Amino acid sequence: MQACSGAFSEAVDPDLNLGPGELSRGVRLDDLQCARASEFYRNLQPLMRFKGLRQSSRAGERIIAMQISNFKDMYLAELQELVSTEAQLAESLLQMAEVASHPALKEALVRHREQTEVQKERLVSLLQKHGADPTAHTDQAMQALIGETGKMVTMLKGNDLRDAGLIASAQRLEHYEIAAYGTAAALAGQLNLRDDQQTLHTSLEEEKQTDVLLTQLAKREINPHAVAA
């Protein structure tokens, strides 16, 4: 086994202001897991630069140009944010599955990634139906949550504890999606867009089912192993 702190230190953006203790705890992984975790953390650096609400002047100009003036446009903006959420999550879930050790957790993360791709396509179809650009918005809240997941991977020692941290992070992401889909569905209902509302409710129920599955996995297998480790 080896300490991955050096690999992670090289991957960290100095602008993130992470304390030295967060990167020097000597996370013990085998060679393959160390490489995967290091790659996972390195790939998150562009996302973690959004820590807080920092934005470039160019991004700020874009936001000003996208001012929303009516309820329908607010609804479409919510859908655009959700497309960004699902796209980011699909990439993150794959990385999380590679770092995970427990077979059932790996399987759950991979399966949800496949489901996430389907959910994203539903959103794209809705936006295209309304003549809106699916790529117009970037969800910075999801960027921050994924960044925290990457940091968590570097801090936890041992397979069992790391799996517990991964499942906790995955549920944090799920809860954010549940809130976002619930909001979008409510807006669709207010606009009397019943087909849209039903489509969004379908994804919402899938997110809730995934959250239940992760809770069961955590309680029955992952967390007891982490406690006993």
Side-chain angles (χ1 to χ4, degrees):
M1 305 294 280
Q2 63 172 308
C4 287
S5 57
F8 287 123
S9 296
E10 294 174 0
V12 171
D13 188 320
D15 292 336
L16 294 178
N17 297 321
L18 296 177
E22 293 179 290
L23 297 173
S24 59
R25 300 184 185 186
V27 181
R28 297 285 173 179
L29 310 174
D30 61 34
D31 290 345
L32 179 58
Q33 289 173 327
C34 182
R36 286 174 171 173
S38 181
E39 180 185 6
F40 178 32
Y41 198 67
R42 186 178 294 107
N43 289 343
L44 289 170
Q45 298 314 304
L47 304 182
M48 292 177 71
R49 292 191 182 98
F50 284 84
K51 187 179 182 182
L53 294 177
R54 290 183 296 171
Q55 299 170 342
S56 67
S57 59
R58 182 176 180 182
E61 291 170 0
R62 186 183 183 200
I63 290 173
I64 292 172
M66 287 183 165
Q67 290 180 348
I68 296 170
S69 59
N70 60 68
F71 199 92
K72 173 72 174 293
D73 286 347
M74 182 172 70
Y75 163 65
L76 295 178
E78 287 288 338
L79 297 187
Q80 289 164 332
E81 293 276 342
L82 269 167
V83 170
S84 173
T85 294
E86 297 291 23
Q88 293 178 59
L89 183 61
E91 183 176 352
S92 180
L93 285 169
L94 185 60
Q95 297 284 347
M96 292 168 72
E98 291 177 349
V99 174
S101 298
H102 196 289
L105 178 56
K106 279 181 176 290
E107 181 182 352
L109 293 170
V110 170
R111 187 185 310 119
H112 188 49
R113 182 188 186 264
E114 295 169 353
Q115 190 177 64
T116 295
E117 293 286 4
V118 173
Q119 292 168 343
K120 185 182 74 171
E121 290 308 311
R122 288 179 191 148
L123 293 164
V124 169
S125 295
L126 289 179
L127 286 163
Q128 289 175 339
K129 180 178 70 174
H130 293 291
D133 180 4
T135 65
H137 286 272
T138 299
D139 191 329
Q140 295 181 6
M142 179 58 80
Q143 288 176 326
L145 288 170
I146 291 174
E148 288 301 309
T149 298
K151 186 170 72 172
M152 177 74 73
V153 170
T154 74
M155 295 169 62
L156 298 175
K157 298 180 180 180
N159 291 345
D160 293 329
L161 188 59
R162 190 171 57 258
D163 282 349
L166 282 170
I167 206 166
S169 295
Q171 288 198 276
R172 189 179 299 116
L173 300 176
E174 285 304 303
H175 295 167
Y176 178 71
E177 284 195 291
I178 288 169
Y181 272 112
T183 297
L187 296 180
Q190 194 69 45
L191 290 164
N192 203 32
L193 299 172
R194 299 306 176 192
D195 289 343
D196 285 27
Q197 187 179 34
Q198 182 58 51
T199 297
L200 293 166
H201 269 301
T202 297
S203 294
L204 175 60
E205 290 306 311
E206 290 172 350
E207 298 297 349
K208 290 179 178 179
Q209 291 168 11
T210 297
D211 184 51
V212 170
L213 173 64
L214 291 173
T215 295
Q216 293 174 343
L217 185 58
K219 288 184 174 180
R220 295 174 182 175
E221 300 184 50
I222 302 296
N223 289 351
H225 291 166
V227 171

